[in-house]
Amino acid sequence: MDTISAEAVAGLNAALVALLPAVAAPALTPDVSIQLQTISPSGLGGFVGINDLPPGEIYGRKIDAIVVIGVKAAPNQIDAAVAAAGNALLAADRATLGTLGVQRITLDEAGETSALSATLVVRPVRFRVLYEFLKIPVDPEGLIQQIPLNIQLQQI
C-alpha cells in the first residue's frame, strides 16, 4: 500500500472515531474495523490540484469500505448505545461529514450481541462508507535555507 493510501485509511478511521459519541469509561470505547472494498486515486491519477499556501500539489484517494463498529455497553444498555452510535454517524450534518471527508455513509446491518465479560457486551454494527482523503501540502519548518561553504578542515 502506498503512503497516501495508508494515510487515507488512517484518516477514515480518525473521521469515524471523531463522529462517534463520547463514552463514560475507556472499556466502553468502540472498536472500529475497516474492510476496504476499493481504494482508488482521486482526480487524475491521484493528482487533484495545486495548493496556493503553502505551495504544492494536492493528491487524493477515494475509499469505499465496509466499517464495523463494535459498540460496547452493559447488557441492559446495549440497545441505547447502538442507537447512539448509529445516530451519531447517520444523523451528522453534511457540513461536518464533508469537513471530515465522508461523502456517504449508510447502515448495512447490526449483528448479534455477544458477551465480553459478565458486565460487558458488544454488538457489531456495519456501515458502508465512501470517503475521500486529500493530502494537502504542509508548510516546511526548520529547513536549511543555506549551507555555509567556508568550512575549515582540521587534521587530527
Side-chain angles (χ1 to χ4, degrees):
M1 182 179 298
D2 65 290
T3 306
I4 296 176
S5 296
E7 288 180 39
V9 173
L12 172 56
N13 187 53
L16 294 171
V17 168
L19 288 170
L20 289 171
V23 294
L28 300 177
T29 302
D31 297 323
V32 178
S33 173
I34 299 172
Q35 301 166 4
L36 296 175
Q37 300 302 299
T38 61
I39 186 164
S40 58
S42 297
L44 186 60
F47 176 76
V48 177
I50 301 290
N51 196 50
D52 291 332
L53 286 173
E57 299 173 339
I58 301 172
Y59 291 94
R61 296 290 185 270
K62 282 196 178 207
I63 295 177
D64 184 11
I66 294 173
V67 176
V68 180
I69 309 287
V71 180
K72 301 173 191 171
N76 62 343
Q77 298 173 342
I78 191 66
D79 291 332
V82 168
N87 289 341
L89 293 174
L90 298 173
D93 62 282
R94 298 294 299 160
T96 301
L97 292 174
T99 305
L100 294 172
V102 177
Q103 295 181 339
R104 183 184 69 234
I105 185 164
T106 58
L107 178 64
D108 198 4
E109 69 176 341
E112 295 295 319
T113 302
S114 58
L116 289 175
S117 68
T119 59
L120 196 62
V121 295
V122 63
R123 181 179 300 162
V125 183
R126 283 177 28 147
F127 296 91
R128 188 72 186 242
V129 178
L130 181 63
Y131 172 79
E132 184 173 31
F133 173 79
L134 296 176
K135 183 169 177 67
I136 309 290
V138 293
D139 212 3
E141 294 182 18
L143 283 177
I144 299 172
Q145 297 296 325
Q146 276 188 331
I147 299 176
L149 297 177
N150 58 352
I151 299 174
Q152 299 292 326
L153 297 177
Q154 290 182 348
Q155 288 187 356
I156 299 179

